[in-house]
Amino acid sequence: MKTQLTLLAAAALLAGCAAPGLSQGPANLAPAAFTQLPAIDARAGNSAATMTAAFVDSAQLQRVVDDVLAHNRDLRAAAARLKQAQALADAAGAQRLPSAGVGANASRQRAANDQGQYNTFNSYGVNATAGWEVDLWGRASATAQAAGYDAQSAALDRDAAQLSLAGTALNLQTQLIGLGHRLKLAQETLVVQNQLLDLVKARVGAGRNTALDQARAEALVAQTAASVPALRNAACLTRLQLDVLRGQPPADCGKADSDPLPAMPEPRLVSLGTLPDPADLLAARPDVKAAATRAQAAASRAQVAWAARWPSIGLSGSIGWSTGRAEDLFKSATRVHSLAAALNWNFLDFGARAAEERAARAGFEGAVAAAEQAQLVALQDAQGSLSTLREAELQAVSQAQAAEATVRARDLAFKRYDAGVTDFYALLSAEQERLAAADALIQVQTQRAAALLAVHKAFAARLTAP
Protein backbone atom coordinates (compact mmCIF):
# COMPACT_ATOMS: atom_id res chain seq x y z
CA MET A 1 0.00 0.00 0.00
CA LYS A 2 2.84 2.35 0.85
CA THR A 3 4.41 1.69 -2.53
CA GLN A 4 1.14 2.48 -4.31
CA LEU A 5 0.81 5.79 -2.45
CA THR A 6 4.38 6.69 -3.40
CA LEU A 7 3.65 6.03 -7.08
CA LEU A 8 0.46 8.08 -6.99
CA ALA A 9 2.23 10.98 -5.31
CA ALA A 10 4.99 10.92 -7.93
CA ALA A 11 2.41 10.89 -10.70
CA ALA A 12 0.58 13.86 -9.21
CA LEU A 13 3.82 15.80 -8.86
CA LEU A 14 4.94 15.19 -12.44
CA ALA A 15 1.50 15.78 -13.95
CA GLY A 16 2.19 19.49 -13.72
CA CYS A 17 4.87 19.23 -16.43
CA ALA A 18 3.43 20.68 -19.64
CA ALA A 19 3.64 19.08 -23.08
CA PRO A 20 6.10 20.74 -25.47
CA GLY A 21 4.94 24.03 -26.96
CA LEU A 22 5.77 23.58 -30.62
CA SER A 23 5.86 26.50 -33.02
CA GLN A 24 2.87 27.14 -35.26
CA GLY A 25 2.24 24.67 -38.07
CA PRO A 26 2.33 25.50 -41.81
CA ALA A 27 0.86 28.89 -42.67
CA ASN A 28 -1.77 29.20 -45.41
CA LEU A 29 0.04 31.00 -48.24
CA ALA A 30 -2.83 31.08 -50.76
CA PRO A 31 -3.45 34.49 -52.39
CA ALA A 32 -6.98 35.76 -52.85
CA ALA A 33 -7.12 34.90 -56.55
CA PHE A 34 -5.01 33.81 -59.51
CA THR A 35 -3.73 36.60 -61.75
CA GLN A 36 -2.65 34.67 -64.84
CA LEU A 37 -6.07 33.78 -66.19
CA PRO A 38 -6.23 33.75 -70.01
CA ALA A 39 -7.96 36.90 -71.29
CA ILE A 40 -10.48 37.05 -74.08
CA ASP A 41 -8.82 38.06 -77.34
CA ALA A 42 -10.66 39.28 -80.43
CA ARG A 43 -8.59 37.06 -82.70
CA ALA A 44 -9.32 33.96 -80.63
CA GLY A 45 -13.00 34.52 -79.99
CA ASN A 46 -13.83 32.97 -76.63
CA SER A 47 -11.32 30.11 -76.82
CA ALA A 48 -8.60 32.05 -74.99
CA ALA A 49 -10.86 32.34 -71.95
CA THR A 50 -11.54 28.62 -71.74
CA MET A 51 -9.75 25.47 -70.74
CA THR A 52 -10.16 21.79 -71.40
CA ALA A 53 -12.29 19.73 -69.05
CA ALA A 54 -11.58 16.65 -71.14
CA PHE A 55 -10.84 15.72 -74.71
CA VAL A 56 -13.67 15.27 -77.18
CA ASP A 57 -12.39 11.87 -78.27
CA SER A 58 -10.55 10.71 -75.18
CA ALA A 59 -10.75 6.94 -75.66
CA GLN A 60 -7.15 6.45 -76.72
CA LEU A 61 -5.92 8.91 -74.07
CA GLN A 62 -7.98 7.11 -71.41
CA ARG A 63 -6.31 3.84 -72.38
CA VAL A 64 -2.93 5.44 -71.71
CA VAL A 65 -4.07 6.59 -68.24
CA ASP A 66 -5.55 3.17 -67.45
CA ASP A 67 -2.32 1.42 -68.46
CA VAL A 68 -0.23 3.75 -66.30
CA LEU A 69 -2.45 3.36 -63.23
CA ALA A 70 -2.59 -0.41 -63.64
CA HIS A 71 0.98 -1.30 -64.58
CA ASN A 72 3.42 1.48 -63.65
CA ARG A 73 6.15 0.13 -61.37
CA ASP A 74 6.55 3.38 -59.42
CA LEU A 75 2.85 3.31 -58.57
CA ARG A 76 3.15 -0.32 -57.54
CA ALA A 77 5.99 0.65 -55.19
CA ALA A 78 3.90 3.54 -53.82
CA ALA A 79 1.03 1.14 -53.13
CA ALA A 80 3.41 -1.21 -51.31
CA ARG A 81 4.71 1.68 -49.18
CA LEU A 82 1.12 2.54 -48.31
CA LYS A 83 0.43 -1.03 -47.16
CA GLN A 84 3.61 -0.95 -45.10
CA ALA A 85 2.68 2.35 -43.46
CA GLN A 86 -0.84 1.13 -42.69
CA ALA A 87 0.53 -2.03 -41.08
CA LEU A 88 2.95 0.00 -38.96
CA ALA A 89 0.10 2.29 -37.92
CA ASP A 90 -1.94 -0.72 -36.81
CA ALA A 91 1.05 -2.02 -34.84
CA ALA A 92 1.62 1.35 -33.16
CA GLY A 93 -2.05 1.61 -32.22
CA ALA A 94 -2.00 -1.85 -30.67
CA GLN A 95 0.86 -0.85 -28.37
CA ARG A 96 -1.49 1.48 -26.49
CA LEU A 97 -3.53 -1.49 -25.29
CA PRO A 98 -2.71 -4.05 -22.58
CA SER A 99 -0.78 -7.14 -23.59
CA ALA A 100 -1.56 -10.66 -22.39
CA GLY A 101 0.06 -14.03 -22.82
CA VAL A 102 -0.04 -17.62 -21.64
CA GLY A 103 2.72 -20.13 -21.00
CA ALA A 104 3.35 -23.63 -19.77
CA ASN A 105 6.46 -25.44 -18.60
CA ALA A 106 7.57 -28.86 -17.46
CA SER A 107 10.96 -29.92 -16.17
CA ARG A 108 12.70 -32.93 -14.59
CA GLN A 109 15.81 -32.38 -12.46
CA ARG A 110 18.18 -34.78 -10.66
CA ALA A 111 20.29 -33.25 -7.87
CA ALA A 112 22.08 -34.29 -4.68
CA ASN A 113 20.74 -33.40 -1.21
CA ASP A 114 22.71 -32.51 1.91
CA GLN A 115 23.51 -36.18 2.58
CA GLY A 116 24.86 -36.70 -0.91
CA GLN A 117 21.91 -38.72 -2.02
CA TYR A 118 20.54 -38.07 -5.49
CA ASN A 119 16.86 -37.40 -5.95
CA THR A 120 14.72 -36.65 -8.99
CA PHE A 121 12.34 -33.66 -8.98
CA ASN A 122 9.53 -32.90 -11.39
CA SER A 123 8.02 -29.45 -11.90
CA TYR A 124 4.93 -28.40 -13.85
CA GLY A 125 3.49 -24.95 -14.35
CA VAL A 126 0.85 -23.05 -16.27
CA ASN A 127 0.54 -19.28 -16.14
CA ALA A 128 -1.16 -16.25 -17.74
CA THR A 129 0.37 -12.78 -17.69
CA ALA A 130 -0.85 -9.30 -18.53
CA GLY A 131 0.89 -5.94 -18.69
CA TRP A 132 0.06 -2.35 -19.49
CA GLU A 133 2.06 0.86 -19.53
CA VAL A 134 0.10 3.82 -18.21
CA ASP A 135 0.31 6.49 -20.89
CA LEU A 136 0.90 9.38 -18.50
CA TRP A 137 2.53 11.75 -20.95
CA GLY A 138 0.87 10.62 -24.17
CA ARG A 139 3.94 8.86 -25.56
CA ALA A 140 2.05 5.80 -26.79
CA SER A 141 -0.80 7.94 -28.15
CA ALA A 142 1.64 10.24 -29.96
CA THR A 143 3.50 7.25 -31.40
CA ALA A 144 0.23 5.88 -32.76
CA GLN A 145 -0.73 9.30 -34.12
CA ALA A 146 2.62 9.68 -35.90
CA ALA A 147 2.24 6.25 -37.50
CA GLY A 148 -1.32 7.13 -38.54
CA TYR A 149 -0.13 10.36 -40.15
CA ASP A 150 2.60 8.38 -41.93
CA ALA A 151 -0.08 6.13 -43.41
CA GLN A 152 -2.16 9.14 -44.48
CA SER A 153 0.83 10.81 -46.13
CA ALA A 154 1.70 7.53 -47.90
CA ALA A 155 -1.82 7.43 -49.34
CA LEU A 156 -1.54 11.05 -50.46
CA ASP A 157 1.90 10.38 -51.96
CA ARG A 158 0.34 7.57 -53.98
CA ASP A 159 -2.42 9.91 -55.19
CA ALA A 160 0.15 12.56 -56.11
CA ALA A 161 2.20 9.97 -58.00
CA GLN A 162 -0.89 8.85 -59.90
CA LEU A 163 -1.68 12.41 -60.92
CA SER A 164 1.90 13.20 -61.89
CA LEU A 165 2.52 10.01 -63.87
CA ALA A 166 -0.84 10.16 -65.63
CA GLY A 167 -0.14 13.76 -66.64
CA THR A 168 3.35 12.88 -67.83
CA ALA A 169 2.06 9.93 -69.85
CA LEU A 170 -0.65 12.02 -71.49
CA ASN A 171 1.87 14.72 -72.31
CA LEU A 172 4.14 12.12 -73.93
CA GLN A 173 1.17 10.76 -75.86
CA THR A 174 0.31 14.20 -77.23
CA GLN A 175 3.98 14.75 -78.12
CA LEU A 176 3.99 11.40 -79.90
CA ILE A 177 0.85 12.28 -81.85
CA GLY A 178 2.36 15.66 -82.77
CA LEU A 179 5.58 14.04 -83.97
CA GLY A 180 3.52 11.59 -86.01
CA HIS A 181 1.70 14.43 -87.75
CA ARG A 182 4.95 16.30 -88.38
CA LEU A 183 6.43 13.14 -89.89
CA LYS A 184 3.34 12.65 -92.04
CA LEU A 185 3.56 16.28 -93.20
CA ALA A 186 7.22 15.87 -94.15
CA GLN A 187 6.52 12.68 -96.08
CA GLU A 188 3.56 14.20 -97.94
CA THR A 189 5.61 17.32 -98.67
CA LEU A 190 8.37 15.16 -100.12
CA VAL A 191 5.88 13.81 -102.65
CA VAL A 192 4.93 17.35 -103.72
CA GLN A 193 8.54 18.53 -103.81
CA ASN A 194 9.63 15.54 -105.89
CA GLN A 195 6.86 16.38 -108.33
CA LEU A 196 8.21 19.93 -108.53
CA LEU A 197 11.69 18.53 -109.07
CA ASP A 198 10.43 16.35 -111.94
CA LEU A 199 8.74 19.41 -113.44
CA VAL A 200 11.94 21.46 -113.21
CA LYS A 201 13.99 18.66 -114.75
CA ALA A 202 11.56 18.50 -117.68
CA ARG A 203 11.75 22.26 -118.14
CA VAL A 204 15.54 22.24 -117.92
CA GLY A 205 15.53 19.63 -120.69
CA ALA A 206 13.27 21.89 -122.72
CA GLY A 207 15.46 24.92 -122.02
CA ARG A 208 12.80 26.73 -120.00
CA ASN A 209 14.69 26.47 -116.66
CA THR A 210 18.31 26.60 -115.66
CA ALA A 211 20.58 24.14 -113.89
CA LEU A 212 20.47 26.51 -110.89
CA ASP A 213 16.71 26.01 -110.62
CA GLN A 214 17.19 22.23 -110.65
CA ALA A 215 19.90 22.43 -107.97
CA ARG A 216 17.65 24.52 -105.75
CA ALA A 217 14.81 22.03 -106.17
CA GLU A 218 17.12 19.13 -105.35
CA ALA A 219 18.37 20.96 -102.24
CA LEU A 220 14.79 21.52 -101.04
CA VAL A 221 13.97 17.83 -101.46
CA ALA A 222 17.15 16.82 -99.60
CA GLN A 223 16.43 19.21 -96.72
CA THR A 224 12.94 17.85 -96.27
CA ALA A 225 14.18 14.26 -96.54
CA ALA A 226 16.80 14.99 -93.85
CA SER A 227 14.07 15.96 -91.38
CA VAL A 228 12.36 12.57 -91.66
CA PRO A 229 14.97 10.47 -89.76
CA ALA A 230 15.18 13.08 -87.00
CA LEU A 231 11.41 13.12 -86.56
CA ARG A 232 11.23 9.33 -86.67
CA ASN A 233 13.92 9.02 -84.00
CA ALA A 234 12.23 11.62 -81.77
CA ALA A 235 8.98 9.68 -82.05
CA CYS A 236 10.80 6.45 -81.21
CA LEU A 237 12.41 7.91 -78.08
CA THR A 238 9.07 9.36 -76.95
CA ARG A 239 7.35 6.03 -77.50
CA LEU A 240 10.01 4.23 -75.45
CA GLN A 241 9.48 6.63 -72.53
CA LEU A 242 5.73 6.13 -72.77
CA ASP A 243 6.06 2.35 -72.80
CA VAL A 244 8.14 2.41 -69.63
CA LEU A 245 5.58 4.62 -67.89
CA ARG A 246 2.86 2.16 -68.93
CA GLY A 247 4.86 -0.69 -67.43
CA GLN A 248 5.53 -2.32 -70.78
CA PRO A 249 8.77 -3.49 -72.39
CA PRO A 250 9.98 -0.91 -74.95
CA ALA A 251 8.20 -1.42 -78.27
CA ASP A 252 9.77 -2.01 -81.66
CA CYS A 253 9.67 1.50 -83.13
CA GLY A 254 9.86 0.17 -86.67
CA LYS A 255 6.66 -1.83 -86.23
CA ALA A 256 4.99 1.00 -84.32
CA ASP A 257 5.43 3.31 -87.32
CA SER A 258 2.77 1.27 -89.14
CA ASP A 259 0.14 1.92 -86.44
CA PRO A 260 -2.77 4.22 -87.41
CA LEU A 261 -2.04 7.87 -86.63
CA PRO A 262 -4.56 9.33 -84.15
CA ALA A 263 -5.95 12.79 -84.72
CA MET A 264 -4.58 15.67 -82.69
CA PRO A 265 -6.41 15.80 -79.32
CA GLU A 266 -9.36 18.17 -79.59
CA PRO A 267 -10.20 19.82 -76.26
CA ARG A 268 -13.67 20.12 -74.83
CA LEU A 269 -13.86 23.69 -73.59
CA VAL A 270 -15.51 25.00 -70.43
CA SER A 271 -15.40 28.30 -68.60
CA LEU A 272 -12.35 29.12 -66.53
CA GLY A 273 -14.79 30.21 -63.84
CA THR A 274 -15.05 26.56 -62.82
CA LEU A 275 -11.44 26.58 -61.63
CA PRO A 276 -10.95 26.45 -57.86
CA ASP A 277 -9.58 29.50 -56.10
CA PRO A 278 -6.06 29.32 -54.62
CA ALA A 279 -7.24 28.13 -51.20
CA ASP A 280 -9.36 25.36 -52.73
CA LEU A 281 -6.46 24.40 -54.99
CA LEU A 282 -4.16 23.89 -52.01
CA ALA A 283 -6.87 21.84 -50.32
CA ALA A 284 -7.17 19.62 -53.40
CA ARG A 285 -3.50 19.02 -54.24
CA PRO A 286 -2.44 15.65 -52.79
CA ASP A 287 1.23 16.67 -52.63
CA VAL A 288 0.35 19.74 -50.54
CA LYS A 289 -1.85 17.68 -48.23
CA ALA A 290 0.87 15.04 -47.92
CA ALA A 291 3.44 17.64 -46.87
CA ALA A 292 1.04 19.07 -44.27
CA THR A 293 0.35 15.57 -42.95
CA ARG A 294 4.07 14.90 -42.60
CA ALA A 295 4.31 18.06 -40.48
CA GLN A 296 1.60 16.62 -38.23
CA ALA A 297 3.56 13.38 -37.96
CA ALA A 298 6.68 15.36 -37.03
CA ALA A 299 4.71 17.17 -34.32
CA SER A 300 3.62 13.84 -32.87
CA ARG A 301 7.21 12.59 -32.87
CA ALA A 302 8.26 15.71 -31.00
CA GLN A 303 5.62 14.79 -28.40
CA VAL A 304 7.08 11.27 -28.22
CA ALA A 305 10.60 12.63 -27.69
CA TRP A 306 9.33 14.97 -24.94
CA ALA A 307 7.42 12.19 -23.17
CA ALA A 308 10.49 9.94 -23.21
CA ARG A 309 12.18 12.32 -20.76
CA TRP A 310 9.67 11.59 -17.99
CA PRO A 311 8.96 8.55 -15.83
CA SER A 312 6.95 5.63 -17.10
CA ILE A 313 4.58 3.56 -14.97
CA GLY A 314 3.86 -0.04 -15.81
CA LEU A 315 1.24 -2.39 -14.39
CA SER A 316 1.64 -6.15 -14.60
CA GLY A 317 -0.07 -9.20 -13.22
CA SER A 318 0.02 -12.95 -13.51
CA ILE A 319 -1.94 -15.97 -12.43
CA GLY A 320 -0.93 -19.58 -12.69
CA TRP A 321 -0.43 -22.95 -11.14
CA SER A 322 2.87 -24.55 -10.14
CA THR A 323 3.32 -28.06 -8.74
CA GLY A 324 5.59 -31.02 -8.71
CA ARG A 325 2.91 -33.36 -10.02
CA ALA A 326 0.97 -32.90 -13.22
CA GLU A 327 -2.26 -34.17 -11.69
CA ASP A 328 -2.19 -31.35 -9.13
CA LEU A 329 -2.30 -28.58 -11.77
CA PHE A 330 -5.28 -26.23 -11.49
CA LYS A 331 -5.94 -27.15 -7.88
CA SER A 332 -6.43 -24.20 -5.56
CA ALA A 333 -3.49 -25.21 -3.41
CA THR A 334 -1.08 -24.87 -6.36
CA ARG A 335 -2.35 -21.52 -7.61
CA VAL A 336 0.03 -18.56 -7.59
CA HIS A 337 -0.67 -14.97 -8.61
CA SER A 338 0.97 -11.58 -8.52
CA LEU A 339 0.12 -7.92 -9.13
CA ALA A 340 2.81 -5.27 -9.51
CA ALA A 341 3.34 -1.65 -10.42
CA ALA A 342 6.70 -0.21 -11.41
CA LEU A 343 8.01 3.28 -11.98
CA ASN A 344 11.02 3.80 -14.24
CA TRP A 345 12.82 7.08 -14.78
CA ASN A 346 16.20 7.41 -16.33
CA PHE A 347 16.78 10.89 -14.97
CA LEU A 348 20.54 10.88 -15.49
CA ASP A 349 21.35 10.40 -19.17
CA PHE A 350 23.80 13.26 -19.68
CA GLY A 351 21.38 15.12 -21.96
CA ALA A 352 20.73 12.31 -24.42
CA ARG A 353 16.92 12.51 -24.32
CA ALA A 354 16.96 16.30 -24.26
CA ALA A 355 19.06 16.21 -27.44
CA GLU A 356 16.60 13.76 -29.00
CA GLU A 357 13.78 16.16 -28.18
CA ARG A 358 15.65 19.05 -29.78
CA ALA A 359 16.23 16.91 -32.86
CA ALA A 360 12.51 16.07 -33.04
CA ARG A 361 11.61 19.75 -32.71
CA ALA A 362 14.01 20.58 -35.53
CA GLY A 363 12.42 17.84 -37.60
CA PHE A 364 9.03 19.45 -37.04
CA GLU A 365 10.32 22.88 -38.07
CA GLY A 366 11.81 21.36 -41.23
CA ALA A 367 8.51 19.60 -42.02
CA VAL A 368 6.63 22.89 -41.58
CA ALA A 369 9.01 24.61 -44.00
CA ALA A 370 8.60 21.75 -46.49
CA ALA A 371 4.81 21.99 -46.24
CA GLU A 372 4.88 25.72 -46.95
CA GLN A 373 7.27 25.15 -49.85
CA ALA A 374 4.83 22.59 -51.28
CA GLN A 375 2.15 25.30 -51.23
CA LEU A 376 4.40 27.72 -53.08
CA VAL A 377 5.28 25.12 -55.71
CA ALA A 378 1.59 24.28 -56.21
CA LEU A 379 0.73 27.95 -56.65
CA GLN A 380 3.63 28.35 -59.08
CA ASP A 381 2.38 25.37 -61.09
CA ALA A 382 -1.12 26.83 -61.25
CA GLN A 383 -0.06 30.35 -62.18
CA GLY A 384 2.50 29.11 -64.70
CA SER A 385 0.12 26.66 -66.38
CA LEU A 386 -2.54 29.35 -66.74
CA SER A 387 -0.04 31.78 -68.26
CA THR A 388 1.21 29.11 -70.67
CA LEU A 389 -2.36 28.27 -71.63
CA ARG A 390 -3.14 31.92 -72.32
CA GLU A 391 -0.12 32.40 -74.58
CA ALA A 392 -0.55 29.03 -76.30
CA GLU A 393 -4.15 29.87 -77.19
CA LEU A 394 -3.12 33.17 -78.79
CA GLN A 395 -0.13 31.59 -80.53
CA ALA A 396 -2.27 28.80 -81.96
CA VAL A 397 -4.71 31.27 -83.51
CA SER A 398 -1.96 33.35 -85.10
CA GLN A 399 -0.05 30.31 -86.33
CA ALA A 400 -3.16 28.86 -87.94
CA GLN A 401 -3.68 32.13 -89.81
CA ALA A 402 -0.03 32.09 -90.88
CA ALA A 403 -0.25 28.50 -92.14
CA GLU A 404 -3.39 29.28 -94.13
CA ALA A 405 -1.75 32.34 -95.69
CA THR A 406 1.36 30.41 -96.77
CA VAL A 407 -0.80 27.82 -98.53
CA ARG A 408 -2.47 30.60 -100.53
CA ALA A 409 0.93 32.17 -101.25
CA ARG A 410 2.37 28.88 -102.48
CA ASP A 411 -0.61 28.22 -104.75
CA LEU A 412 -0.38 31.73 -106.16
CA ALA A 413 3.38 31.41 -106.68
CA PHE A 414 2.88 28.16 -108.58
CA LYS A 415 0.31 29.76 -110.88
CA ARG A 416 2.58 32.73 -111.53
CA TYR A 417 5.54 30.45 -112.16
CA ASP A 418 3.50 28.26 -114.51
CA ALA A 419 2.47 31.40 -116.38
CA GLY A 420 6.08 32.56 -116.59
CA VAL A 421 5.48 35.69 -114.50
CA THR A 422 7.95 34.78 -111.70
CA ASP A 423 11.05 32.63 -111.54
CA PHE A 424 11.39 29.25 -109.89
CA TYR A 425 13.15 30.69 -106.83
CA ALA A 426 9.93 32.50 -105.79
CA LEU A 427 8.02 29.21 -105.99
CA LEU A 428 10.62 27.37 -103.91
CA SER A 429 10.60 30.13 -101.30
CA ALA A 430 6.81 29.94 -101.05
CA GLU A 431 6.99 26.15 -100.70
CA GLN A 432 9.58 26.40 -97.93
CA GLU A 433 7.44 28.94 -96.07
CA ARG A 434 4.36 26.71 -96.42
CA LEU A 435 6.21 23.69 -95.00
CA ALA A 436 7.71 25.69 -92.14
CA ALA A 437 4.35 27.25 -91.22
CA ALA A 438 2.50 23.93 -91.38
CA ASP A 439 5.15 22.24 -89.23
CA ALA A 440 5.09 25.11 -86.75
CA LEU A 441 1.30 24.87 -86.53
CA ILE A 442 1.48 21.20 -85.54
CA GLN A 443 4.08 22.04 -82.90
CA VAL A 444 1.94 24.86 -81.51
CA GLN A 445 -1.12 22.59 -81.42
CA THR A 446 0.96 20.04 -79.52
CA GLN A 447 2.13 22.71 -77.10
CA ARG A 448 -1.43 23.87 -76.63
CA ALA A 449 -2.56 20.35 -75.77
CA ALA A 450 0.34 20.08 -73.31
CA ALA A 451 -0.66 23.42 -71.77
CA LEU A 452 -4.23 22.21 -71.32
CA LEU A 453 -2.97 19.06 -69.63
CA ALA A 454 -0.66 21.12 -67.43
CA VAL A 455 -3.65 23.12 -66.16
CA HIS A 456 -5.42 19.89 -65.22
CA LYS A 457 -2.34 18.54 -63.51
CA ALA A 458 -1.68 21.78 -61.61
CA PHE A 459 -5.29 21.94 -60.40
CA ALA A 460 -5.40 18.23 -59.52
CA ALA A 461 -8.33 17.73 -61.91
CA ARG A 462 -9.36 14.77 -64.02
CA LEU A 463 -7.11 14.48 -67.04
CA THR A 464 -9.55 12.66 -69.30
CA ALA A 465 -13.30 12.32 -69.63
CA PRO A 466 -15.02 10.14 -66.99
Side-chain angles (χ1 to χ4, degrees):
M1 184 66 179
K2 183 177 180 180
T3 302
Q4 294 176 347
L5 290 174
T6 302
L7 292 176
L8 292 174
L13 176 64
L14 295 171
C17 299
L22 295 176
S23 60
Q24 187 177 5
N28 189 342
L29 304 179
F34 292 111
T35 60
Q36 302 297 325
L37 295 179
I40 296 177
D41 184 84
R43 295 173 298 170
N46 291 327
S47 64
T50 54
M51 61 165 284
T52 179
F55 288 100
V56 173
D57 183 14
S58 61
Q60 50 108 359
L61 295 176
Q62 188 62 53
R63 285 193 295 271
V64 172
V65 174
D66 292 342
D67 285 345
V68 170
L69 298 184
H71 305 297
N72 183 267
R73 297 305 191 271
D74 289 333
L75 290 182
R76 186 180 299 178
R81 287 192 294 271
L82 173 57
K83 291 181 180 178
Q84 181 185 38
Q86 290 172 334
L88 292 175
D90 292 340
Q95 291 178 4
R96 302 172 57 187
L97 304 175
S99 62
V102 296
N105 63 81
S107 65
R108 184 177 181 86
Q109 182 179 7
R110 180 176 173 80
N113 58 19
D114 295 341
Q115 288 76 35
Q117 297 174 341
Y118 283 87
N119 296 311
T120 301
F121 303 93
N122 295 329
S123 177
Y124 303 93
V126 175
N127 68 301
T129 61
W132 179 46
E133 180 181 339
V134 181
D135 196 14
L136 285 178
W137 322 112
R139 183 189 62 82
S141 298
T143 300
Q145 286 177 349
Y149 288 136
D150 287 341
Q152 292 178 30
S153 62
L156 291 167
D157 285 339
R158 177 205 57 191
D159 295 342
Q162 289 178 342
L163 178 65
S164 177
L165 290 172
T168 300
L170 286 177
N171 185 58
L172 287 173
Q173 179 68 13
T174 58
Q175 296 292 332
L176 183 60
I177 294 174
L179 287 168
H181 281 274
R182 292 180 65 194
L183 180 61
K184 179 181 178 182
L185 172 65
Q187 292 170 337
E188 291 175 349
T189 300
L190 272 176
V191 174
V192 174
Q193 292 176 351
N194 275 307
Q195 291 174 349
L196 287 177
L197 177 59
D198 292 340
L199 175 62
V200 171
K201 288 180 178 179
R203 293 198 172 196
V204 169
R208 298 179 58 188
N209 281 105
T210 66
L212 177 59
D213 292 334
Q214 180 175 337
R216 285 173 172 168
E218 291 172 346
L220 181 60
V221 169
Q223 289 173 359
T224 304
S227 68
V228 171
L231 291 171
R232 186 182 293 117
N233 183 60
C236 177
L237 296 179
T238 304
R239 185 178 289 110
L240 296 180
Q241 294 180 63
L242 186 59
D243 287 338
V244 171
L245 280 181
R246 298 169 72 176
Q248 300 175 357
D252 184 341
C253 292
K255 294 180 179 179
D257 284 341
S258 61
D259 295 340
L261 180 62
M264 289 295 294
E266 181 183 352
R268 181 183 290 122
L269 302 175
V270 296
S271 172
L272 278 174
T274 60
L275 283 175
D277 60 27
D280 290 338
L281 165 67
L282 296 182
R285 285 274 296 236
D287 53 340
V288 173
K289 293 191 289 185
T293 304
R294 280 190 283 271
Q296 291 178 297
S300 296
R301 290 192 172 89
Q303 171 74 17
V304 172
W306 171 83
R309 299 180 60 185
W310 305 107
S312 64
I313 296 178
L315 302 177
S316 63
S318 68
I319 185 171
W321 292 263
S322 180
T323 180
R325 297 190 306 171
E327 58 269 23
D328 292 335
L329 281 174
F330 305 111
K331 293 182 178 180
S332 60
T334 63
R335 187 175 65 186
V336 294
H337 63 270
S338 67
L339 182 64
L343 183 147
N344 294 295
W345 187 11
N346 188 8
F347 61 87
L348 182 60
D349 61 3
F350 301 97
R353 285 179 173 78
E356 291 173 354
E357 182 184 355
R358 292 197 302 273
R361 286 175 176 272
F364 170 72
E365 293 173 0
V368 168
E372 293 179 350
Q373 179 67 14
Q375 292 185 46
L376 294 175
V377 171
L379 294 171
Q380 174 191 357
D381 289 346
Q383 294 276 36
S385 65
L386 290 173
S387 176
T388 302
L389 171 62
R390 177 183 61 193
E391 302 305 328
E393 290 279 5
L394 298 177
Q395 186 180 8
V397 172
S398 298
Q399 190 61 50
Q401 294 172 347
E404 182 181 355
T406 57
V407 171
R408 295 198 307 269
R410 192 279 309 269
D411 293 343
L412 180 59
F414 182 80
K415 292 178 181 179
R416 290 171 63 83
Y417 169 73
D418 193 49
V421 177
T422 59
D423 59 10
F424 187 67
Y425 180 73
L427 175 60
L428 287 183
S429 297
E431 171 62 17
Q432 286 177 315
E433 291 170 357
R434 182 201 67 83
L435 174 60
D439 186 72
L441 177 60
I442 295 174
Q443 295 184 60
V444 170
Q445 290 173 337
T446 303
Q447 293 167 5
R448 178 174 178 269
L452 293 167
L453 289 172
V455 170
H456 272 284
K457 183 178 177 181
F459 283 85
R462 291 186 63 90
L463 294 171
T464 60

